[in-house]
Amino acid sequence: MKNPIEKLDKAFENRVRLGVMSALMANEFMDFNSLKELLNVTDGNLASHLKALENAEYISMQKEFIGRKPNTKYKATKVGRNAFGKHLEALEELIKNNN
Amino acid sequence: MDSKDQYINDISEIKNIMERSSRFISLSGLSGVFAGLYALVGAWLVFDRMYSTEGFIYSRAFKYTYSSDIVFMLSVAIGVLVLAIATGIFFTTRKARKEERKIWDNTTKRLLVNLLIPLITGGIICLILLDKNQYLMVPPATLVFYGLGLVNASHHTFRDIRYLGITQIALGLIAFMYLGYGLLFWAIGFGIMHIIYGASMYFKYEK
């Protein structure tokens, strides 16, 4: 049998990335500032992790303007949702088998 | 390091973030308790003016109903509503500040929109009923539509709100069957149930 640890998604090893993905699973959209407040991270830190998730095509980004202020919204893609589901299953399996 | 702990930690972190980002959890149970108290005082004011105290404790028979009585009842109802909302905002803002959360974010907006759709529908229906002199239908209708609003909004806040909503709907339906006892059901639903659920939420989440 394949070692379940290998089923864990490397993209979610990082806390911030795991947090971003969790928030985007529970919400249709989240903007940059809400994510920043929710996860309590700095702009630069969050931006780099968002970029990584975007490159993996797990999330998509949409820029818009509210009045004159730019507002960036993020959304989980189908690929991202599936990957997150598999990651959760792997975590559950690891917890069960470790008893 | 125990890796199992790490995985359990991951799962609970995921759950925590999902809850925090999608549910409005600054709602204070104390707002429910006070709303209930105002409703009981309001119900008592109406009872005192409108119902005969001769005979049964709760007599169905209005002494008389004048249009000034209708205005009186509506004023009491609106007074109760305004006081309840104001106190609710006060305690909820206080709780949000204590927990260092924002009071106005997407979860608040979604909560309010989902609450208001059934509530405004019900409000319009009550105005139509009043216009057609169907006064006895109004208290049961307010309970049913308030309950529907709570159930609808409950996806964005504590689970308890869902059960409070279902309780209000059930009370409203019973009140429709026993028209004329509206004030009694109104006092149970808006008064006693708010106090019970509010107190239970306060001790569950704020103590």
Side-chain angles (χ1 to χ4, degrees):
Chain A
M1 198 187 119
K2 197 180 161 192
N3 185 353
I5 290 182
E6 287 167 33
K7 288 195 213 158
L8 286 177
D9 199 320
K10 291 265 187 297
F12 303 133
E13 253 171 21
N14 177 281
R15 286 232 153 280
V16 179
R17 268 175 271 170
L18 188 71
V20 168
M21 212 54 206
S22 309
L24 292 181
M25 292 296 282
N27 294 275
E28 204 182 336
F29 284 105
M30 288 282 277
D31 61 37
F32 189 89
N33 287 331
S34 311
L35 280 171
K36 196 177 99 177
E37 259 170 53
L38 179 72
L39 302 170
N40 211 1
V41 286
T42 61
D43 277 24
N45 193 358
L46 180 59
S48 75
H49 289 301
L50 285 170
K51 196 82 214 153
L53 285 171
E54 234 181 293
N55 289 338
E57 293 185 347
Y58 283 3
I59 63 173
S60 62
M61 178 189 84
Q62 195 187 323
K63 270 203 170 130
E64 55 181 45
F65 282 84
I66 299 178
R68 275 190 196 162
K69 274 191 185 163
N71 184 44
T72 322
K73 276 162 112 185
Y74 295 89
K75 189 184 175 165
T77 62
K78 211 172 166 191
V79 182
R81 288 182 173 269
N82 287 338
F84 191 77
K86 288 211 181 98
H87 184 73
L88 274 186
E89 276 169 29
L91 279 176
E92 275 168 20
E93 206 177 313
L94 282 165
I95 292 169
K96 250 185 265 162
N97 295 345
N98 257 343
N99 271 333
Chain B
M1 188 180 94
D2 190 353
S3 56
K4 190 191 165 191
D5 283 348
Q6 168 71 40
Y7 303 139
I8 292 178
N9 206 353
D10 275 8
I11 297 255
S12 67
E13 175 84 7
I14 289 168
K15 212 180 136 217
N16 177 295
I17 288 176
M18 284 179 149
E19 293 259 301
R20 265 197 301 149
S21 63
S22 65
R23 284 173 190 270
F24 180 72
I25 51 176
S26 298
L27 189 66
S28 167
L30 287 178
S31 27
V33 175
F34 277 87
L37 291 175
Y38 300 144
L40 285 182
V41 171
W44 188 81
L45 286 176
V46 169
F47 178 79
D48 192 47
R49 169 162 172 157
M50 303 295 295
Y51 288 82
S52 154
T53 44
E54 295 147 31
F56 254 156
I57 282 185
Y58 189 84
S59 163
R60 282 183 69 159
F62 285 119
K63 276 189 282 191
Y64 307 97
T65 305
Y66 299 110
S67 63
S68 69
D69 290 331
I70 300 296
V71 172
F72 176 74
M73 284 195 276
L74 282 179
S75 323
V76 171
I78 291 169
V80 167
L81 185 70
V82 170
L83 270 176
I85 292 174
T87 318
I89 292 175
F90 172 76
F91 282 115
T92 299
T93 322
R94 201 180 67 162
K95 188 179 166 196
R97 206 176 301 141
K98 220 188 284 172
E99 293 171 355
E100 292 177 9
R101 285 180 213 290
K102 269 211 299 195
I103 180 108
W104 189 250
D105 60 10
N106 279 325
T107 61
T108 330
K109 273 178 241 168
R110 269 178 292 190
L111 178 84
L112 287 179
V113 168
N114 284 298
L115 176 69
L116 285 177
I117 293 170
L119 221 52
I120 291 174
T121 311
I124 293 170
I125 287 179
C126 288
L127 289 178
I128 295 170
L129 289 171
L130 285 173
D131 185 54
K132 298 192 184 300
N133 294 331
Q134 301 291 328
Y135 304 118
L136 296 181
M137 301 269 197
V138 173
T142 55
L143 282 166
V144 168
F145 283 100
Y146 178 57
L148 289 171
L150 290 181
V151 170
N152 206 34
S154 66
H155 302 288
H156 306 290
T157 182
F158 297 110
R159 195 92 188 131
D160 310 60
I161 296 298
R162 188 178 183 78
Y163 302 120
L164 176 62
I166 291 169
T167 312
Q168 304 287 15
I169 294 172
L171 277 172
L173 289 176
I174 300 170
F176 264 119
M177 288 194 291
Y178 298 96
L179 288 179
Y181 290 92
L183 187 63
L184 179 66
F185 286 104
W186 208 86
I188 297 173
F190 285 103
I192 295 169
M193 289 306 155
H194 270 148
I195 295 175
I196 292 176
Y197 277 89
S200 118
M201 283 172 65
Y202 179 72
F203 288 113
K204 222 153 104 185
Y205 307 114
E206 291 161 64
K207 273 276 137 188

